[in-house]
Amino acid sequence: MRTEKKWIISTLNRSRLFEIFPSSDGKPKLYGMEDELIKTIMAKIDVDFEIITPEEGQYGIELSSGNWTGVIGMLCRGEADIGIANLGIFEDRFRTVDFSSRYMSEGLYFSYIKSANREQLFSFLRMFDFSTWMLFLASFLLSSLVILIILKDQETISSIMLYLFGSFLGQTLMFHRKINEWKVIFLSWLLFTFIMSSVYSGALSSFLVLPAEGKIVENYRELSEAVSKGSHRAYTLNGTNHAAFMRHYPEPYLQSLGKMIEENDWHITADEMTQDPLKTKYSPMVSQK
């Protein structure tokens, strides 16, 4: 039999962890891993419960006044009986609220958008710059027109363009023998295609031996260096103490990274974390796992 007391549970609306959806009867529908956990606990102790979320949408950080924000703050002020929001057990929180035994062991990691390499589908076009391609196209069209005038009824414009383009790819030219009367034009085109195809083949061979992607940031030392150079930004979840946690590490590069995150206020909300956590491929998201 359920007791009369209703427990208030403070949480955050997080995809796959604790999802809260409105319903027509006014009682929200709950989904997610931690939803199943809290339902199991409440069923075992036979207590009804109500879900609330902090206005700040934060896990909880300690302010200079000694007060707390987010889920931890609601627990401190007595506005909630339980907080469940994938909360990390940090020293300052541990001094303030009681934690259950941990049910997940996680570390601090960062992630960023993997390059989709959409432009690599046409990377072969980047062997020459735009002006070179335009000059090649102009030469190709002009040569096609001149040869069409020379051969007149012997060849069509489509066949001439096909043969000329084929010669650029190393194919044999098969024009009407009348072209032999214009050896200067014919040999000029052969010399032009030989030079262009040789240069292009050399550039393409060099391109193919290069890595598909450039150097990527693989660890916190490299991330700290990239952020200090201004090529990257590192975001943390608003209401967490990840930046402060890094600032108290003995490694100077982690201290520097935490300091830069705090000074630049690189934080995103829990909703942004759910919807679009990675702003750009140069903006890693530092979080727990």
Side-chain angles (χ1 to χ4, degrees):
M1 181 178 181
R2 290 188 180 273
T3 62
E4 294 182 1
K5 176 177 173 56
K6 179 185 291 186
W7 285 22
I8 306 299
I9 299 175
S10 177
T11 187
L12 295 177
N13 194 350
R14 293 285 310 281
S15 175
R16 301 181 183 179
L17 291 176
F18 205 113
E19 300 182 72
I20 306 172
F21 297 96
S23 62
S24 57
D25 59 4
K27 189 174 183 179
K29 295 182 178 179
L30 308 175
Y31 301 94
M33 178 183 67
E34 292 190 335
D35 164 58
E36 294 299 325
L37 173 62
I38 203 65
K39 286 179 178 177
T40 302
I41 294 174
M42 294 295 102
K44 288 293 183 180
I45 62 178
D46 198 26
V47 175
D48 198 5
F49 63 94
E50 179 183 347
I51 300 296
I52 59 175
T53 57
E55 293 181 359
E56 309 96 326
Q58 298 181 0
Y59 291 94
I61 56 174
E62 188 174 12
L63 304 175
S64 57
S65 61
N67 297 322
W68 283 79
T69 65
V71 174
I72 302 296
M74 298 190 76
L75 292 174
C76 292
R77 295 189 297 271
E79 298 173 4
D81 299 299
I82 298 178
I84 180 167
N86 196 28
L87 294 168
I89 305 176
F90 297 107
E91 183 179 357
D92 53 352
R93 292 178 181 173
F94 195 77
R95 294 195 305 264
T96 307
V97 297
D98 292 324
F99 283 89
S100 66
S101 299
R102 66 183 185 185
Y103 51 90
M104 286 189 293
S105 180
E106 301 182 324
L108 202 62
Y109 76 111
F110 67 88
S111 58
Y112 56 93
I113 296 176
K114 181 177 177 61
S115 175
N117 296 326
R118 295 185 178 89
E119 74 275 8
Q120 289 195 2
L121 179 62
F122 299 100
S123 293
F124 63 90
L125 296 176
R126 293 191 284 121
M127 301 303 103
F128 291 153
D129 58 17
F130 180 76
S131 58
T132 303
W133 279 117
M134 290 299 99
L135 289 173
F136 173 77
L137 181 60
S139 301
F140 176 74
L141 295 176
L142 180 61
S143 300
S144 300
L145 183 60
V146 170
I147 294 175
L148 178 64
I149 295 173
I150 293 172
L151 297 180
K152 294 183 179 178
D153 299 330
Q154 278 74 27
E155 299 285 352
T156 63
I157 185 64
S158 58
S159 62
I160 291 173
M161 295 178 71
L162 179 62
Y163 291 148
L164 291 181
F165 184 73
S167 67
F168 177 73
L169 301 177
Q171 302 297 316
T172 303
L173 278 174
M174 296 182 295
F175 284 134
H176 191 273
R177 60 184 180 181
K178 187 178 179 181
I179 196 66
N180 295 330
E181 300 175 7
W182 301 83
K183 289 184 175 60
V184 175
I185 294 178
F186 186 65
L187 293 176
S188 297
W189 174 258
L190 290 180
L191 179 62
F192 173 74
T193 55
F194 172 76
I195 294 174
M196 292 292 289
S197 61
S198 298
V199 172
Y200 182 85
S201 298
L204 182 61
S205 299
S206 301
F207 173 78
L208 292 176
V209 301
L210 295 175
E213 295 185 8
K215 174 65 176 175
I216 61 174
V217 175
E218 297 180 345
N219 52 55
Y220 274 101
R221 184 185 297 275
E222 294 179 357
L223 176 60
S224 179
E225 293 175 355
V227 172
S228 64
K229 292 177 181 177
S231 61
H232 289 64
R233 292 184 178 185
Y235 288 86
T236 63
L237 199 58
N238 192 19
T240 63
N241 56 356
H242 296 148
F245 184 68
M246 287 188 286
R247 282 199 302 105
H248 290 88
Y249 252 79
E251 288 80 0
Y253 62 89
L254 284 176
Q255 295 176 14
S256 175
L257 180 60
K259 183 178 179 181
M260 286 185 287
I261 292 174
E262 289 186 337
E263 288 179 348
N264 292 281
D265 194 26
W266 286 335
H267 300 98
I268 63 175
T269 65
D271 289 338
E272 289 176 320
M273 174 67 178
T274 301
Q275 298 169 8
D276 185 21
L278 303 175
K279 296 177 179 296
T280 70
K281 65 179 181 180
Y282 300 113
S283 298
M285 174 63 196
V286 178
S287 184
Q288 281 184 281
K289 184 178 180 180

